[in-house]
Amino acid sequence: MPGTKKVFVKTFGCQMNVYDSERMTEALAQYGYTVADTPESAELIVLNTCHIREKAAEKVYSDLGRIREVKEERRQAGKNTVVAVAGCVAQAEGSEIIARAPVVDLVIGPQSYHRLPELVFRAQSESRRIVEVAFPEEDKFANLPARAATVPGTQIAPASAFLTIQEGCDKFCTFCVVPYTRGMEYSRPVAAIVAEAESLVARGVRELTLLGQNVNAYHGEGPDGATCSLAGLINRLAEIDGLERLRYTTSHPNDMSEDLFAAHRDQEKLMPYLHLPFQSGSDRILAAMNRKHTADDYRRVIERLRKVRPDIALSTDIIVGFPSETQEDFDATLALVEEIGFAQAFSFKYSARPGTPAAKIAEQVPEGVKTERLHRLQERLEAQASRFNEGCVGKIVQVLFERPGRQAGQLVGRSPYLQPVHVEGAPEYLGRVIPVEISAAGMKSLSGVIRAA
Ligand code: 5AD
Ligand code: SF4
């Protein structure tokens, strides 16, 4: 539509930010905004930021430097631009961003996204700079518009979508900023989640990944007024016709409840894949991290999962070089990795996050030691991922096709174990679950041949 305003959203960090960016774009679409491909062509630029890793804030400031040039060029061409910083850096830095970056008009925390269109309008019409990082009383989800029929700015109705069901975390691991940036645990009511899931399925979605910072602690209000667990929610969502697959992420080992094990055993739509961070294999470090579990507790959870779902593929998060981590502590992490065997894993060098308890521990591990440990760990994890993928060669796996591949005639989908699978195939397979015989494997993906129509 000529004359409509355009928004450019740049998303950093986790899947929750991807989801939030979609919801922000959909909220703005109601006020006439369409999606811009470049910041140069946008009246509104939103940076949806992540604060989990070191220098995250610095990266945002350097991005803002470039955006300042864009805004200036647009100004010289007689065009206005509103620049908004959203996400966890916005929440953590608040008015500091306004002070340091004159280009920014609006700082908006994740709990206020339902107010984004109004705040953009106010920033513009009142020519003032706004900081909105409170934790409001009202439920932002209830105040965001219903999901759009396609991904904003595209004609695409993807086969797989994220759905945030829970936000915040009460665990206070000593390295983590999440309890400060996303606040205390909040679970959305079942009815609201079911309604959103149904609208996504009507859009063509076949797989939902339920998101939350601590998703298996989910305890939302059920339709009968009683509290519903994650397993209860999964079973309810599985009743939706047309929805074929369910996943959830990210979880804490202590919140793996009885009924969740049962769901992994009985619920066919729940995929045999679990991302379950253990962070360290050393009990001393786990205690210093305030994880409230031991390495043995983690082993027991995995043992139970494998008992109920022998083919379950595991993924995890690991931190190396947490303050005071010795060679022995690190060896315990390597040993746990060897023992469990992961299909996929994310590993990080510890980085001090200002305001978290671990940042105050005196015995920080030297950078060179962290680098060396990370390298050794990743070698092991990469070998495990390759081994897991190679084990699929010759097997038939059910693949949900999500998008065309880079080359013409190619399609890309995902196996139940979340591996990307590349095939030659016609576009009509998109959005469908099709058996594929796996012919080759790499560290990150598989390729194969479609075996049935
Ligand atoms: N340093 C390094 N890694 C971190 N993570 C969270 N905070 C830090 C930090 N301060 C990692 C954890 C978490 C993942 C999302 O990011 O492993 O599970
Ligand atoms: Fe952060 Fe996860 Fe620990 Fe919560 S459970 S504090 S989100 S690492």
Side-chain angles (χ1 to χ4, degrees):
M1 255 192 298
T4 56
K5 289 166 287 186
K6 290 196 156 196
V7 55
F8 178 81
V9 183
K10 184 166 176 185
T11 309
F12 301 82
C14 68
Q15 295 150 329
M16 293 193 72
N17 273 8
V18 174
Y19 173 86
D20 285 344
S21 290
E22 272 187 31
R23 303 278 331 236
M24 282 192 266
T25 314
E26 289 175 5
L28 290 161
Q30 293 215 318
Y31 291 81
Y33 280 90
T34 57
V35 173
D37 299 328
T38 59
E40 287 78 8
S41 57
E43 278 76 28
L44 170 62
I45 300 173
V46 181
L47 295 186
N48 190 5
T49 61
C50 167
H51 199 236
I52 203 106
R53 258 166 272 303
E54 204 177 8
K55 305 211 178 82
E58 291 315 309
K59 251 174 75 186
V60 172
Y61 286 116
S62 89
D63 258 45
L64 286 170
R66 276 193 299 278
I67 286 170
R68 187 166 52 102
E69 288 166 25
V70 171
K71 187 170 177 172
E72 179 56 24
E73 275 164 31
R74 285 180 51 88
R75 194 189 63 78
Q76 285 172 13
K79 296 175 192 160
N80 277 328
T81 318
V82 174
V83 176
V85 177
C88 293
V89 174
Q91 188 67 45
E93 300 261 306
S95 50
E96 176 71 19
I97 298 181
I98 291 281
R100 263 186 74 179
V103 67
V104 174
D105 303 288
L106 170 61
V107 176
I108 181 166
Q111 302 315 317
S112 301
Y113 291 160
H114 55 298
R115 299 189 55 208
L116 178 64
E118 171 213 329
L119 294 175
V120 168
F121 178 76
R122 276 182 35 204
Q124 216 165 15
S125 59
E126 297 165 19
S127 299
R128 66 190 192 88
R129 305 170 77 204
I130 298 172
V131 180
E132 183 60 60
V133 291
F135 287 90
E137 278 295 304
E138 75 267 15
D139 175 358
K140 88 172 153 187
F141 293 105
N143 290 288
L144 281 163
R147 303 307 305 268
T150 58
V151 173
T154 74
Q155 298 303 309
I156 299 170
S160 184
F162 296 130
L163 203 179
T164 294
I165 64 165
Q166 181 277 327
E167 280 191 297
C169 181
D170 298 349
K171 290 274 190 294
F172 290 93
C173 299
T174 56
F175 52 80
C176 185
V177 284
V178 165
Y180 311 98
T181 56
R182 292 273 177 163
M184 302 308 270
E185 260 178 26
Y186 165 76
S187 297
R188 296 178 67 190
V190 173
I193 297 167
V194 170
E196 186 172 340
E198 281 171 345
S199 71
L200 287 167
V201 172
R203 193 201 242 195
V205 165
R206 295 291 163 259
E207 174 183 271
L208 282 176
T209 302
L210 309 178
L211 300 180
Q213 262 97 23
N214 194 10
V215 75
N216 60 343
Y218 175 84
H219 55 280
E221 189 192 335
D224 52 1
T227 302
C228 178
S229 66
L230 177 62
L233 178 69
I234 286 171
N235 287 328
R236 171 65 190 86
L237 292 172
E239 289 170 11
I240 299 175
D241 268 349
L243 181 63
E244 298 190 45
R245 293 176 160 191
L246 282 159
R247 305 178 183 278
Y248 61 92
T249 197
T250 287
S251 297
H252 190 285
N254 291 4
D255 292 315
M256 292 302 299
S257 56
E258 285 301 319
D259 60 349
L260 200 46
F261 286 110
H264 277 285
R265 181 187 62 211
D266 303 329
Q267 181 48 257
E268 283 178 14
K269 292 188 179 179
L270 182 58
M271 289 295 99
Y273 179 93
L274 181 64
H275 179 70
L276 194 63
F278 74 82
Q279 313 294 2
S280 168
S282 152
D283 287 345
R284 195 181 65 80
I285 295 294
L286 285 169
M289 287 176 164
N290 191 32
R291 289 287 292 175
K292 304 184 186 82
H293 64 80
T294 62
D296 269 348
D297 293 333
Y298 188 82
R299 285 186 182 92
R300 274 192 289 273
V301 169
I302 301 301
E303 205 175 301
R304 289 201 57 195
L305 266 171
R306 284 184 162 151
K307 210 172 201 167
V308 296
R309 189 74 215 226
D311 69 331
I312 198 155
L314 297 167
S315 159
T316 197
D317 288 342
I318 304 167
I319 296 175
V320 301
F322 185 83
S324 87
E325 184 187 73
T326 62
Q327 186 61 39
E328 206 183 336
D329 294 319
F330 175 65
D331 287 343
T333 295
L334 282 181
L336 194 55
V337 164
E338 268 334 293
E339 191 184 320
I340 302 232
F342 292 95
Q344 210 194 349
F346 303 87
S347 47
F348 313 97
K349 285 194 262 192
Y350 170 75
S351 76
R353 314 309 302 117
T356 58
K360 299 186 192 85
I361 304 176
E363 309 144 77
Q364 299 287 328
V365 174
E367 193 59 27
V369 175
K370 285 192 220 174
T371 306
E372 196 262 334
R373 286 182 188 166
L374 186 67
H375 182 72
R376 275 187 61 201
L377 175 64
Q378 289 186 338
E379 252 176 20
R380 299 308 311 141
L381 292 168
E382 285 169 13
Q384 289 190 347
S386 299
R387 200 178 327 137
F388 179 76
N389 290 343
E390 279 153 19
C392 296
V393 174
K395 291 194 178 143
I396 306 269
V397 301
Q398 301 294 325
V399 176
L400 173 61
F401 286 105
E402 290 177 20
R403 56 184 173 86
R406 284 217 188 93
Q407 275 139 43
Q410 272 192 347
L411 299 178
V412 189
R414 290 209 185 245
S415 75
Y417 312 110
L418 210 63
Q419 299 142 301
V421 181
H422 300 257
V423 301
E424 302 280 322
E428 66 250 32
Y429 290 122
L430 289 172
R432 290 165 59 191
V433 178
I434 308 282
V436 171
E437 184 172 344
I438 302 303
S439 49
M443 194 184 81
K444 296 224 165 97
S445 68
L446 306 174
S447 52
V449 180
I450 288 177
R451 276 303 172 223

